[in-house]
Amino acid sequence: MQLIDAETADFLYAEMGAGRETSGGSAANTLAGLAALGKRCGFIGQVANDQLGTIFAHDIKALGVDYHTPVSNGGVPTARCLVMVTPDAQRTMNTFLGASQHLPASALDPEMIRGAGILYLEGYLWDPEEPRKAMRSAIELARAAGRKVAFTLSDGFVIERHRADFMTLIESGLIDILFSNEAEIQALAQVEDFEQAVAAIAPKVPILVSTRSEKGAVAVAGGKRHEAPAAPVDEVIDTTGAGDLFAAGFLAGIVEGKNLTTCLHLGALCAAEIISHYGARPEADLKELRARSGL
């Protein structure tokens, strides 16, 4: 994943062949999965007053997600991510953060945050200054209301630039559920061994979750380790959004009070659905898939 500017985004888009265009965004994808599982969700994120912004707002509302963040009229277009997928299902992501990187704290919906069981934040938007301030404010609101805070590390480059901030959040007890993949947790712990990384970070957060692609996923809480294998999939088409949908399944289990092993299995089920097709929004009925799985 690399960040790009508007000019580069336009250039790459012009050079790309025919593709699939769909709403995305890391946290928005997670909420799309949660909504598909029947959970009540609200989203706070900024788009511009342009075509892509209109499409995004329509799509997320159509999923049943509460969304009413005011649009930006500052001239910066809506964010987009240009994803190129190789035949072995790996993806290169070129992300223009656009209007999302100017989300002000004034755009927060305090009542939505106070009323939510879990506040879920994506690391990608920790990079720009304005949304970083907004997320700090959101954490304060959630904490004051006695709500849980979940945070996803998102990408290695984010950790490289903001590791000190993330460790401060963690060591201050502000994060209840920390999501990572294998490479991210190692980068956060500054070690090259997964088990060493888990041992270093797990005692610092109530729940640590780390995905390991085909090796499954691990959750550690209170010194107890839980594991689940990757869910079977006929063919891996596109890994874009696998972590986002894993978080959706895991959080659905958390809000239902399921044990962590079941939460991991739910996450793996949702991730398997998303990697079986192009795009980072579910195409199959997640409720039906879950019912069939018996989870």
Side-chain angles (χ1 to χ4, degrees):
M1 210 294 284
Q2 65 175 342
L3 294 179
I4 59 175
D5 57 22
E7 184 179 356
T8 305
D10 289 340
F11 170 77
L12 284 175
Y13 185 70
E15 294 296 315
M16 291 172 69
R20 177 178 300 192
E21 297 185 12
T22 180
S23 287
S26 180
N29 293 336
T30 297
L31 291 184
L34 278 160
L37 289 166
K39 305 308 168 193
R40 187 180 172 203
C41 308
F43 178 69
I44 299 172
Q46 187 169 256
V47 297
N49 187 19
D50 55 20
Q51 183 180 19
L52 289 181
T54 300
I55 292 169
F56 176 89
H58 168 270
D59 286 354
I60 200 162
K61 290 176 182 177
L63 294 170
V65 176
D66 186 8
Y67 175 58
H68 50 262
T69 307
V71 299
S72 168
N73 289 300
V76 180
T78 295
R80 77 285 312 264
C81 183
L82 306 174
V83 185
M84 286 162 275
V85 185
T86 54
D88 62 352
Q90 294 303 307
R91 80 283 186 278
T92 296
M93 301 169 64
N94 302 277
T95 305
F96 169 53
L97 291 173
S100 68
Q101 66 189 315
H102 300 289
L103 175 74
S106 60
L108 297 178
D109 183 335
E111 291 310 309
M112 179 186 286
I113 294 168
R114 295 188 188 107
I118 299 174
L119 171 69
Y120 179 70
L121 304 167
E122 63 169 88
Y124 283 125
L125 282 184
W126 199 264
D127 203 54
E129 184 177 355
E130 260 190 303
R132 191 186 321 144
K133 290 179 179 177
M135 285 194 280
R136 287 188 185 279
S137 296
I139 290 170
E140 290 176 7
L141 287 166
R143 279 291 176 200
R147 305 308 186 183
K148 293 186 183 300
V149 176
F151 192 92
T152 177
L153 293 172
S154 291
D155 197 276
F157 92 88
V158 182
I159 300 166
E160 181 180 339
R161 289 154 78 144
H162 302 288
R163 180 182 178 276
D165 265 4
F166 294 164
M167 291 305 298
T168 298
L169 290 174
I170 290 166
E171 291 171 350
S172 299
L174 297 177
I175 306 299
D176 297 288
I177 306 171
L178 180 67
F179 287 97
S180 65
N181 63 25
E182 190 167 5
E184 291 160 3
I185 197 65
Q186 289 171 195
L188 187 68
Q190 294 185 315
V191 298
E192 295 183 0
D193 179 79
F194 176 73
E195 296 301 336
Q196 287 181 5
V198 170
I201 302 300
K204 300 177 184 295
V205 289
I207 302 176
L208 170 66
V209 184
S210 193
T211 58
R212 307 186 72 193
S213 300
E214 72 278 0
K215 292 178 280 189
V218 173
V220 181
K224 186 175 180 181
R225 181 178 175 125
H226 308 258
E227 296 189 51
V233 57
D234 292 335
E235 182 182 7
V236 179
I237 302 295
D238 174 14
T239 56
T240 307
D244 301 338
L245 269 293
F246 181 93
F250 188 91
L251 290 172
I254 288 291
V255 298
E256 292 173 6
K258 303 291 186 185
N259 62 64
L260 292 186
T261 301
T262 299
C263 293
L264 290 171
H265 280 289
L266 273 171
L269 180 75
C270 294
E273 191 283 333
I274 216 69
I275 65 175
S276 66
H277 58 78
Y278 290 109
R281 295 286 175 93
E283 292 185 352
D285 186 328
L286 294 186
K287 285 184 184 177
E288 185 178 327
L289 288 178
R290 181 180 182 180
R292 276 194 245 144
S293 72
L295 292 170

